[in-house]
Amino acid sequence: MTMRYKAIAADLASKIERGAWDVGAFLPAEPALAAEYGCSRETVRSALAQLEDQGLIARRKGQGTRVLRTTPANEFHSRLTSIEELAQYGQEARRRVESVERLPARGAAASWFGVNEETRLVRIATTRRLPGQHSGEYGAPVSAADVYLLESDFDAVSGELGSGEQLIADIVAARTGRRLVRVLQSIQAIEIPPHTAALLGREPGSLGLRLTRRYVDGDGAVFEVVESVHPGESFVYESVLERAG
């Protein structure tokens, strides 16, 4: 099966590059592909997984397999269209905690959470890193982030943040009884500040993208804010827009 799925993946990638399916279009369903190539659905799934790793397609249960681009991605790609896909982010680039700081809620941080300056927050400096060559190792950083939590929430989860396998928001929700229902996201081009540039191995002032995510619970309250910075030359954020109806 190993050689078979690679051959199928290569053939599908070639067809995508030649324009057999437009960007945004769906590939045939797994049973149809299995019949076309005379193989099992398991072999087809392995082939599609390889294309997904290359950034060519995105698969969503119950919706099918959508073409994202026509050539393999050399950059780090974020193809997030749901909270569930956001939760899979940690499997591609693992979180590492770099430092932790307790501080009063001030300025933008206070407005994010809707609290006054007497409220205590915790800022967790993290990096997201691709897996290393050996199990358990970290590779090069692809982004750096400041994660803000209410101090009480941080105290409830502080021993669980180092593994990098779950969203921090999911860990907080599990320990506090909250329910994550919405993530509000904004993207802005910036000059990378010195402390972030040092974590990413970039020159201060070089161009980057800052993604600000606010995690909202079932009561409409923000309980986590993440400001992540990606080097501009190595990050692509992709989305597909469809005409209504």
Side-chain angles (χ1 to χ4, degrees):
M1 187 190 79
T2 301
M3 297 302 295
R4 182 64 172 146
Y5 88 79
K6 289 184 177 180
I8 293 171
D11 187 61
L12 288 171
S14 177
K15 289 179 178 178
I16 290 172
E17 184 174 8
R18 295 197 308 268
W21 301 281
D22 293 332
V23 172
F26 286 91
L27 295 185
E30 287 181 5
L33 289 173
E36 178 182 347
Y37 287 101
C39 65
S40 68
R41 290 182 65 176
E42 181 181 358
T43 301
V44 168
R45 289 192 195 102
S46 296
L48 294 177
Q50 182 165 318
L51 296 183
E52 191 169 31
D53 288 343
Q54 296 172 359
L56 293 172
I57 62 171
R59 295 182 293 170
R60 292 189 63 184
K61 187 176 180 180
Q63 295 191 18
T65 302
R66 188 192 298 269
V67 176
L68 292 179
R69 56 186 293 130
T70 59
T71 57
N74 294 319
E75 308 92 348
F76 181 78
H77 276 244
S78 180
R79 306 184 301 273
L80 307 177
T81 60
S82 69
I83 292 177
E84 288 73 23
E85 288 185 9
L86 183 59
Q88 298 298 314
Y89 178 64
Q91 297 181 10
E92 186 173 0
R94 299 181 59 207
R95 179 180 63 249
R96 188 171 83 176
V97 175
E98 305 291 346
S99 65
V100 175
E101 177 186 9
R102 297 175 187 262
L103 68 169
R106 292 177 179 168
S111 64
W112 288 333
F113 288 92
V115 297
N116 57 41
E117 294 188 358
E118 296 179 358
T119 303
R120 299 284 294 178
L121 301 177
V122 175
R123 180 172 60 204
I124 310 158
T126 69
T127 53
R128 284 283 185 179
R129 295 171 180 266
L130 297 176
Q133 293 183 348
H134 303 288
S135 178
E137 287 187 352
Y138 288 96
V142 296
S143 67
D146 286 331
V147 180
Y148 294 85
L149 295 175
L150 297 169
E151 188 173 51
S152 57
D153 286 344
F154 172 79
D155 290 339
V157 302
S158 60
E160 304 178 56
L161 303 183
S163 68
E165 297 298 328
Q166 277 185 285
L167 287 177
I168 291 178
D170 282 340
I171 299 174
V172 172
R175 295 292 173 264
T176 63
R178 287 190 179 88
R179 183 170 60 93
L180 172 60
V181 298
R182 186 177 299 109
V183 180
L184 307 176
Q185 177 174 271
S186 63
I187 304 175
Q188 183 180 14
I190 63 166
E191 292 185 354
I192 301 178
H195 74 282
T196 304
L199 290 174
L200 294 175
R202 295 298 198 278
E203 290 293 325
S206 56
L207 294 180
L209 287 176
R210 181 172 63 204
L211 282 71
T212 302
R213 291 188 176 116
R214 292 173 288 162
Y215 293 78
V216 183
D217 66 17
D219 295 325
V222 173
F223 66 95
E224 179 189 352
V225 176
V226 179
E227 283 196 319
S228 60
V229 175
H230 299 255
E233 79 281 0
S234 62
F235 180 82
V236 176
Y237 189 90
E238 296 181 332
S239 61
V240 176
L241 305 180
E242 295 182 337
R243 189 177 297 279

